[in-house]
Amino acid sequence: MAKFKKIVRSPACTAVLFILAAVLLLSSSIAGTRAALTYYSETYTSRVEMYDIGVSLVENGAKVSWRDYGSKADGSWNENTGVLLGNMLAPGEAFKLGKRYDEVLSVTNSGTIDEYVRVTVYRYWLDAQGNKMTELSPDQIGLHYVNLDDCWIVDEASSTPERMVLYYDRILPSGESTLPFTDSLTIDGGLAAKVSETTTVRDGYTVITTDYDYDGVQFRLEAEVHAVQTHNAEDAIWSAWGRHVTIDDGRIVGIE
Amino acid sequence: MKRRTLLLSALALLLVLGGSIGETIAYFSTYAEAKGGYTIELGDSTEIREEFSNWTKRVSIASDANSEPVFIRVKAFCGSRYTLSYTDATGRWSLGGDGWYYYSEIVEGGGATGELQVHIDNVPSTVTDGDSFNVVVIYESTPVRYREDGSAYADWSSVLDSGSSDEGGAA
């Protein structure tokens, strides 16, 4: 015991302990930095690494919404949330049931790093008060999807009549755009046949008036675009989107 | 010295333990979204306008201001004692194979068809007091439907608004 005390009290032991403490301190500061990067989100990370991620939703060739990490690398984002279908009708033009309207939706990588993207599209009905009308079928809102057999993969497990989830199966390089995932919108003209009738007599005339079930309701489209880095893509997608994907040679080949 | 050494060692250990807590990796990600829509406005209200003189009914169908665009068709009936003939001064009424007269133009909200004249023929040259006639004019409207290319058409299997005038009279 006395020998142990002597060793502990020796200058050599003190020096060893100091060196050990310095090593531990140094290594712990590295781990702390990594934890800080995690804790403070990619904003801090991108500021350090100088990588700017960005993504834009494009409708009929025009950017509608985007969110790009700011070029000043000060933690700010260059972002805009636009309106879908805003230019579908010419000024004074009335919306026509059954008519096919152009609705070409695609995604542009507006950042400086490559990325994977996925889109989620919602379609539904609102009443005059803005409440969702789940009793009306989303199928009447005919958004026509394209390139599903080419580069867009349907996440069948996550899709419903109201929601469609699509994964772009390849890396989207910086500055480039995907092929469109939709090309047109047609509201079913058969809505005009969904009616209820009332009969009245006015001034000696018998009038049968038909009221539309869909009169005054609003159809809505929502499109969300998500992008994630390509480095450690499978883990990144799992972390950011909550989905396990299988990537082979840069292509998403499976969604679990 | 001893206390200082222990303090530094404890601090180093604390930093090590603290640094290892919650070690996960952050990823670059972002998103953008947009939404939009239109309100469907359906339904119309139409009414028949008639004038009668010289054994002729002058018929026009008017649409309320807030009505959606519609197509119109008209047919008239009378008893076997008389026959009916039609005159169209507008050039926009045409007889269909089903006996209806179809107005070729779309009637917008607030608009009206051109006049269709329905003549009561075989009127006796001498009409005695108390003779009567009864001519019923029926019209129907249907909302303008559109093909995918935007061209308009009428689907008469889906009649939106209909009415009739059961007008009788005495000579």
Side-chain angles (χ1 to χ4, degrees), chain A residues 25 38 65 210 212 216-217 225, chain B residues 15 24 32-33 40 42 143 160-161:
Chain A
L25 190 60
T38 300
S65 298
T210 307
Y212 288 102
V217 304
V225 183
Chain B
L15 287 171
T24 56
E33 62 180 342
I40 305 292
L42 299 171
L160 173 65
D161 202 11

Side-chain angles (χ1 to χ4, degrees), chain A residues 14 18 24-25 28 31 34 38 42 46 51 53 55 65 67 77 81-85 88-89 96-100 189 205-210 212 214-229 235-236 239, chain B residues 1 5 8-9 12 15-16 19-48 50 68 143 145-150 158-166:
Chain A
T14 303
F18 259 97
L24 289 173
L25 190 60
S28 67
R34 292 180 65 190
T38 300
E42 70 272 22
S46 56
Y51 290 151
I53 193 169
V55 72
S65 298
R67 188 169 184 264
W77 290 83
T81 300
V83 177
L84 274 185
L85 311 175
M88 189 171 73
L89 302 179
K96 298 171 181 173
L97 287 178
K99 181 181 176 181
R100 176 187 178 279
Y205 300 103
T206 301
V207 177
I208 303 170
T209 302
T210 307
Y212 288 102
Y214 282 77
D215 182 32
V217 304
Q218 181 182 162
F219 68 87
R220 298 284 293 178
L221 280 185
E222 286 185 31
E224 298 175 354
V225 183
H226 295 264
V228 69
Q229 67 184 43
D235 290 339
S239 174
Chain B
M1 185 68 181
T5 303
L8 285 172
S9 298
L15 287 171
V16 170
S20 63
I21 293 174
E23 182 178 343
T24 56
I25 305 299
Y27 301 102
F28 299 123
S29 64
T30 187
Y31 67 94
E33 62 180 342
K35 59 182 73 173
Y38 283 93
T39 300
I40 305 292
E41 295 180 357
L42 299 171
D44 76 338
S45 180
T46 53
E47 63 178 359
I48 191 168
E50 285 186 350
E68 66 173 308
R145 304 283 289 272
Y146 296 91
R147 301 178 183 89
E148 285 198 348
D149 63 3
S158 174
V159 174
L160 173 65
D161 202 11
S162 63
S164 64
S165 68
D166 185 9

Side-chain angles (χ1 to χ4, degrees), chain A residues 38-88:
Chain A
T38 300
Y39 183 77
Y40 291 112
S41 81
E42 70 272 22
T43 300
Y44 182 73
T45 305
S46 56
R47 179 154 57 91
V48 172
E49 303 291 343
M50 300 298 289
Y51 290 151
D52 301 336
I53 193 169
V55 72
S56 299
L57 175 65
V58 178
E59 180 186 42
N60 296 327
K63 282 173 62 176
V64 176
S65 298
W66 59 88
R67 188 169 184 264
D68 307 331
Y69 186 72
S71 57
K72 294 179 180 177
D74 59 356
S76 63
W77 290 83
N78 172 24
E79 57 187 315
N80 177 71
T81 300
V83 177
L84 274 185
L85 311 175
N87 297 315
M88 189 171 73

Side-chain angles (χ1 to χ4, degrees), chain A residues 89-225:
Chain A
L89 302 179
E93 180 185 0
F95 178 77
K96 298 171 181 173
L97 287 178
K99 181 181 176 181
R100 176 187 178 279
Y101 292 95
D102 288 342
E103 183 63 7
V104 182
L105 294 175
S106 60
V107 179
T108 294
N109 183 346
S110 47
T112 61
I113 63 171
D114 297 348
E115 62 194 13
Y116 285 100
V117 299
R118 74 168 182 179
V119 297
T120 304
V121 180
Y122 299 89
R123 54 177 185 170
Y124 55 89
W125 296 95
L126 295 180
D127 63 17
Q129 287 73 42
N131 302 312
K132 187 176 286 188
M133 304 179 71
T134 55
E135 67 273 23
L136 300 184
S137 172
D139 291 336
Q140 312 283 5
I141 305 169
L143 189 61
H144 186 243
Y145 292 92
V146 293
N147 295 315
L148 298 186
D149 296 329
D150 186 358
C151 53
W152 289 99
I153 302 174
V154 179
D155 183 355
E156 300 285 359
S158 299
S159 297
T160 66
E162 181 180 323
R163 178 182 61 210
M164 175 71 100
V165 182
L166 302 172
Y167 286 71
Y168 195 59
D169 73 347
R170 60 204 66 181
I171 292 173
L172 182 60
S174 172
E176 295 193 11
S177 299
T178 68
L179 289 175
F181 55 92
T182 67
D183 69 350
S184 63
L185 174 69
T186 306
I187 304 301
D188 187 356
L191 296 183
K194 298 184 182 302
V195 297
S196 54
E197 291 187 343
T198 55
T199 302
T200 56
V201 178
R202 293 195 306 233
D203 301 328
Y205 300 103
T206 301
V207 177
I208 303 170
T209 302
T210 307
D211 294 321
Y212 288 102
D213 295 342
Y214 282 77
D215 182 32
V217 304
Q218 181 182 162
F219 68 87
R220 298 284 293 178
L221 280 185
E222 286 185 31
E224 298 175 354
V225 183

